[in-house]
Amino acid sequence: MKVPCGIDWAEKHHDVALVDSDGKLLARRRISDDVTGWQALVDLLADHGDHADEQIPVAIETSRGLLVSCLRATGRRVYAINPLAVARYRERHTVARSKSDHADAFTLANILRVDAAHHRPLPEDSELVQSIAVLARAQQDAVWNRQQLANQRRSLLREFFPAVLQAFQVKNVGLTSREARAVLTTAPTPTEAAKLTKARLRAALRRAGRQRNLDNRAEQLGAVLRQQHLHQLPMVEAALGHQARALLLQLDAACQAADDLAEATSQAFHQHPDAAIIVGFPGLADLTGARVLAEIGDDRARFADARALKAYAGSAPVTRASGRSTAVHHRKGKNQRLAAAGYVWAFASLRAPGPRAHYDHRRGAGDRHSSALRNTFNRMIGCLHHCLQTGELYD
């Protein structure tokens, strides 16, 4: 690698450094985070031999942002180096713990000069799979945000409205359901809820989308809400009701965002040619399949083999051996989003005979539930790697 480039990125400007094969600084420049700065970067690279046939590779401490997107669009190799790794490289040359933006750019360039083979460039994913990644990650964030708001709301309702917790402890109906949100919008306090008539409860359930057993469900809710329960002081109860209503508005927005993003993710996912292979696996549907595709991408050269993909997903264990001591640990460094999707995938796949037999075998061997699920995910993602490489459907 004759002339590697290192970029220390920031919000308003970026520091650029280029070094030769001996580690000597060839050029340094601070560019702005706009079109003018981009043009300055392109000119700087061109002045040092960058052209279409032999592009200068770039090392940077992030895999996202407009700068990274523009660099990837040119077709050059872009290496996203972990900031912790950059800090360790910096300590090789100084013990004074000095640090500067230019020094970090210089360190990044030298990382490519000496250790490019030990770092992987960003994958050459298609534009479609990059858009799926944006939607799938946003939908996953919306689901996590929805659950966080639901937990806050449940904790609040336990302080002054235990009747509603009892009323919606029903299978497939929880506090995040449309029914619960409709009833709590109508009556956010236990005093108001106890005054709800059957007709008002029936109307709230109809607004929530229920079409069957309206009368029976309204009678059940009314009976629970009119039971005797402990109460806060009237003014305190009213204040807590206002707080519950505010949380309800946030929860409604989070639920709507999760539903809208789920629909957009599903539509984009089915446009990808790998969708048929992915949803053919037991336990994978539109959303979980889109999350898996978003994290592994469609660059077939990204992972050398199935073992590399398993390590990236965090399903493969880590062995630490020193002398006579050998220990096998759960992998901590991994793609957290893919690992989260893998847990759901493995759990849902237990209805199929193959994954269930493997899970039962691991449990029989002494694994805990989480370990057996992780091992099942390890096997399934290895099968997925094979099917994607060969174009075969899961059998």
Side-chain angles (χ1 to χ4, degrees), residues 1-2 82 104 141 149 187 219 247 273 286 292:
M1 196 171 291
K2 295 182 179 180
N82 190 299
D104 285 348
D141 289 339
L149 289 170
E219 289 180 0
L247 276 177
D286 290 354
V292 171

Side-chain angles (χ1 to χ4, degrees), residues 346 349-369 371-373 375-376:
S349 71
L350 295 183
R351 295 183 178 182
R356 183 74 204 192
H358 183 77
Y359 171 84
D360 291 339
H361 171 71
R362 297 306 308 178
R363 290 286 284 169
D367 284 0
R368 295 178 300 173
H369 170 71
S371 299
L373 274 185
N375 198 286
T376 303

Side-chain angles (χ1 to χ4, degrees), residues 128-149:
L128 175 57
V129 84
Q130 291 184 52
S131 66
I132 293 173
V134 172
L135 293 171
R137 291 167 182 169
Q139 200 276 335
Q140 194 172 33
D141 289 339
V143 170
W144 289 339
N145 183 43
R146 180 181 64 188
Q147 188 59 48
Q148 184 180 23
L149 289 170

Side-chain angles (χ1 to χ4, degrees), residues 171-192:
K171 184 179 180 180
N172 298 327
V173 180
L175 287 176
T176 59
S177 65
R178 293 182 179 180
E179 292 183 15
R181 287 183 279 140
V183 171
L184 285 170
T185 300
T186 305
T189 65
T191 302
E192 295 177 2

Side-chain angles (χ1 to χ4, degrees), residues 48-318:
H48 290 82
D50 183 71
H51 53 84
D53 296 332
E54 188 177 358
Q55 295 181 317
I56 293 177
V58 174
I60 191 170
E61 290 181 313
T62 182
S63 60
R64 299 181 182 179
L66 278 173
L67 179 63
V68 174
S69 297
C70 292
L71 288 169
R72 295 179 70 182
T74 62
R76 75 180 66 249
R77 286 174 296 168
V78 180
Y79 295 79
I81 310 297
N82 190 299
L84 292 178
V86 178
R88 298 300 177 266
Y89 273 98
R90 189 191 309 121
E91 292 172 357
R92 295 172 58 187
H93 302 285
T94 177
V95 295
R97 302 181 66 85
S98 60
K99 184 182 182 302
S100 68
D101 295 340
H102 164 65
D104 285 348
F106 181 72
T107 301
L108 284 163
N110 274 298
I111 289 175
L112 286 192
R113 181 180 65 86
V114 298
D115 280 335
H118 296 282
H119 298 277
R120 291 185 298 178
L122 293 177
E124 298 178 2
D125 290 330
S126 64
E127 183 178 355
L128 175 57
V129 84
Q130 291 184 52
S131 66
I132 293 173
V134 172
L135 293 171
R137 291 167 182 169
Q139 200 276 335
Q140 194 172 33
D141 289 339
V143 170
W144 289 339
N145 183 43
R146 180 181 64 188
Q147 188 59 48
Q148 184 180 23
L149 289 170
N151 293 340
Q152 293 178 13
R153 187 158 158 265
R154 185 181 184 278
S155 297
L156 178 63
L157 291 174
R158 288 186 68 249
E159 294 186 19
F160 79 109
F161 203 168
V164 76
L165 299 180
Q166 179 182 349
F168 291 101
Q169 285 182 347
V170 183
K171 184 179 180 180
N172 298 327
V173 180
L175 287 176
T176 59
S177 65
R178 293 182 179 180
E179 292 183 15
R181 287 183 279 140
V183 171
L184 285 170
T185 300
T186 305
T189 65
T191 302
E192 295 177 2
K195 298 177 182 178
L196 289 176
T197 62
K198 180 180 177 180
R200 293 186 65 188
L201 284 171
R202 193 176 187 278
L205 294 174
R206 184 179 292 277
R207 287 197 305 273
R210 176 180 278 269
Q211 298 178 351
R212 298 180 180 179
N213 299 323
L214 285 172
D215 292 333
N216 292 337
R217 182 57 177 156
E219 289 180 0
Q220 293 174 1
L221 287 175
V224 174
L225 295 176
R226 285 189 290 271
Q227 290 179 0
Q228 293 293 327
H229 293 278
L230 299 177
H231 284 260
Q232 293 274 3
L233 295 174
M235 295 182 66
V236 176
E237 181 179 290
L240 290 170
H242 283 292
Q243 184 180 359
R245 189 185 296 274
L247 276 177
L248 182 60
L249 293 175
Q250 298 179 54
L251 181 60
D252 285 339
C255 291
Q256 185 63 45
D259 293 342
D260 292 345
L261 287 168
E263 182 178 358
T265 302
S266 179
Q267 291 178 359
F269 174 63
H270 282 288
Q271 296 176 19
H272 199 279
D274 291 343
I277 296 177
I278 292 175
V279 297
F281 276 77
L284 283 182
D286 290 354
L287 288 181
T288 49
R291 292 173 185 174
V292 171
L293 177 61
E295 302 308 324
I296 66 177
D298 56 4
D299 182 3
R300 294 292 178 260
R302 180 176 186 179
F303 302 103
D305 50 26
R307 294 178 61 186
L309 176 57
K310 292 176 180 180
Y312 179 73
S315 59
V318 175

